[in-house]
Amino acid sequence: MNKMTLIGIAVLVISNSLFGYTQEEIASALKRQAQNANIDEKILYTIAKIESGFRPHIISFVSDTKEIKVGGANMSVSPYGEKWIIVLNGKMQNLIKIAKMLIKDGFLIDVGIMQINSQNFKADEIEKMFELDYNIEKAASILKLCENKYDNTNYIIECYNKGYRKKATFDYFNRFKRSFLKDFAGVRL
């Protein structure tokens, strides 16, 4: 991984001791899983940066209300159209319990560094979804499924974020493109 990538991860990873992984471990896992899946590591890096800011111990989900009461994790709430995006971070064991509770209550949640949606894993995989290599490997496999369905980069990247449903806009791809160009092409936006 190039020096700029490592610097980017160092800047974006918040409190390594809290999350249990160093920026080197995260960078190495991204590189390893990119090589295993034959995906450009810059693509995985960019998606990880957008999805979680390189945070392995994070859950996010959409809610009709911002009045969610969840103990054992730090919570932030942001508007999302008529709904709310809830982001939880904290200790892995607490997040595992919270993830199980949210899924049981019918929420679709996104977990870990590359924000794997609960539609893409089984209940018995929840604990593994917070493990660095497992999560990134799962993300790479989802990206490969999208690559097998589409031959256009715009659609592949949108598919990673939105699944196979028809794409009306390419907002996620445009966000990806801006981030990728800024980090890897020296473009100042």
Side-chain angles (χ1 to χ4, degrees), residues 17-170:
S17 61
L18 175 64
F19 298 124
Y21 298 106
T22 66
Q23 57 264 42
E24 290 84 8
E25 289 171 321
I26 294 169
S28 293
L30 286 165
K31 182 176 183 176
R32 186 171 42 256
Q33 296 307 326
Q35 289 172 340
N36 290 346
N38 195 27
I39 297 172
D40 184 331
E41 64 193 58
K42 294 183 289 281
I43 291 173
L44 289 188
Y45 168 92
T46 303
I47 293 172
K49 179 181 174 185
I50 291 169
E51 291 293 332
S52 69
F54 305 106
R55 295 176 290 176
H57 300 149
I58 185 171
I59 298 171
S60 62
F61 60 97
V62 176
S63 174
D64 292 332
T65 177
K66 65 180 181 177
E67 305 304 321
I68 298 286
K69 301 291 184 218
V70 177
N74 299 316
M75 181 169 64
S76 66
V77 179
S78 304
Y80 184 68
E82 300 285 319
K83 299 185 179 203
W84 303 92
I85 295 260
I86 312 293
V87 178
L88 306 169
N89 63 65
K91 294 182 180 179
M92 184 173 71
Q93 291 307 319
N94 292 344
L95 292 175
I96 289 168
K97 291 176 188 173
I98 293 167
K100 289 177 181 179
M101 177 197 69
L102 289 169
I103 291 171
K104 182 180 175 197
D105 288 347
F107 286 95
L108 294 176
I109 63 171
D110 298 327
V111 179
I113 283 191
M114 294 187 70
Q115 291 290 273
I116 309 302
N117 188 274
S118 54
Q119 291 180 331
N120 293 306
F121 62 87
K122 298 176 182 145
D124 64 350
E125 290 180 281
I126 290 174
E127 291 183 27
K128 293 179 182 179
M129 295 312 302
F130 291 100
E131 294 173 10
L132 190 58
D133 274 296
Y134 193 86
N135 183 285
I136 297 170
E137 179 181 12
K138 187 73 125 175
S141 70
I142 293 166
L143 193 59
K144 290 303 268 188
L145 289 171
C146 293
E147 189 178 277
N148 290 336
K149 181 161 176 73
Y150 301 108
D151 59 1
N152 179 298
T153 304
N154 300 20
Y155 282 96
I156 294 168
I157 299 300
E158 280 295 313
C159 173
Y160 179 84
N161 182 255
K162 296 176 182 163
Y164 292 143
R165 69 180 179 262
K166 187 174 179 178
K167 283 56 169 169
T169 66
F170 289 95

